[in-house]
Amino acid sequence: MQPTVLTDVPEDAALTHRSSRNIPARISFRLRLRHERTGPVSAWLRSGCSLPRGPKGQVGAGLGMTTSTGTVTLVPPTKDITATGQEEVIDGVRIVFQMTPGTEAPSEMNFYFPEHRALCMAENATHTLHNILTLRGALVRDAHVWARYLNETITLFGHETDVAFTSHHWPMWGGDRITEWLTLHADTYGYLHDQTLRMLNQGYTGIEIAEMMQMPPALEKKWNR
């Protein structure tokens, strides 16, 4: 049976998004992903996946336990998701989709499972503050758009969700707790965007803004957002 592979943009565009860095920067990516005696180079440098497991070795990699050391492939999508509210039944499971382009990735979406009152936030909300500008060179994320889509998530699914989970982190239970978690995420990204723009228009540089940025107490106390 052929597996269903989803994309939130047409197939050609999806493949373009996924190959836009891998092909022009293929040498760099091969250095980061290829297998060596100690494992993939980037995984070794970033997460220490080749270290022995334990308190004096590798215990985690921030957004997950460790990075994959398997074969890198690209499977073309078999079904296009093109609009928020689109519903599909995949392997007997009904899924409602929310389009969130320009958030954690140029093409991104959240999933809601109505029969289970379960919400998958992909990488749009985690138990840490996700990168807006990554050290590895991914496209800069739009924090303003990110905040807007998180607020839309609350409107669409907040009152119907009992459990929320993400691609990297542990699940959360309880509608009120989940709504607070999503609200804090949205407020954090919105605040970072607005204050960065305010200080930028006052003539400060990016480095200066990073040094000056101070989160309000309500957000500062919720480090795990």
Side-chain angles (χ1 to χ4, degrees):
M1 178 182 295
Q2 183 180 20
T4 300
V5 181
L6 302 175
T7 180
D8 54 351
V9 292
E11 179 177 344
D12 290 344
L15 293 176
T16 298
H17 274 305
R18 285 152 180 79
S19 62
S20 60
R21 289 175 298 151
N22 291 15
I23 293 176
R26 61 189 180 276
I27 303 301
S28 172
F29 271 69
R30 282 170 58 192
L31 289 172
R32 290 166 53 183
L33 296 174
R34 74 185 181 189
H35 287 271
E36 301 284 0
R37 289 184 301 168
T38 55
V41 174
S42 67
W44 176 66
L45 293 175
R46 292 200 318 263
S47 60
C49 68
S50 63
L51 296 174
R53 305 296 186 260
K56 294 184 179 180
Q58 203 270 352
V59 295
L63 285 178
M65 295 307 297
T66 188
T67 52
S68 172
T69 57
T71 302
V72 177
T73 62
L74 176 62
V75 180
T78 59
K79 186 180 292 292
D80 291 343
I81 307 300
T82 58
T84 292
Q86 181 175 339
E87 294 190 21
E88 298 289 344
V89 177
I90 300 173
D91 199 20
V93 179
R94 186 161 69 101
I95 308 174
V96 182
F97 297 91
Q98 178 198 6
M99 308 291 290
T100 63
T103 52
E104 189 276 332
S107 58
E108 184 69 279
M109 55 186 167
N110 298 326
F111 312 71
Y112 180 67
F113 302 85
E115 277 70 33
H116 303 281
R117 294 178 63 87
L119 176 64
C120 176
M121 288 303 298
E123 293 186 58
N124 284 323
T126 61
H127 291 286
T128 185
L129 175 62
H130 215 307
N131 291 320
I132 297 175
L133 173 62
T134 72
L135 296 177
R136 70 177 184 274
L139 294 176
V140 179
R141 285 76 185 260
D142 188 331
H144 179 69
V145 167
W146 204 330
R148 177 166 61 84
Y149 279 123
L150 286 169
N151 284 319
E152 183 182 72
T153 301
I154 296 169
T155 301
L156 291 173
F157 309 121
H159 61 293
E160 300 177 346
T161 298
D162 293 332
V163 59
F165 59 98
T166 72
S167 301
H168 288 290
H169 283 162
W170 52 92
M172 297 181 65
W173 287 268
D176 291 342
R177 186 180 176 212
I178 292 166
T179 297
E180 180 191 26
W181 174 62
L182 293 173
T183 300
L184 288 169
H185 263 77
D187 290 349
T188 297
Y189 289 122
Y191 184 87
L192 289 172
H193 171 273
D194 293 348
Q195 295 305 307
T196 298
L197 192 58
R198 178 181 65 84
M199 288 187 276
L200 184 67
N201 284 328
Q202 291 177 345
Y204 293 104
T205 66
I207 294 175
E208 291 171 331
I209 292 170
E211 295 293 334
M212 296 168 61
M213 182 68 71
Q214 181 67 48
M215 303 301 289
L219 299 178
E220 185 72 30
K221 293 177 181 178
K222 294 288 186 178
W223 65 268
N224 61 340
R225 281 177 269 280

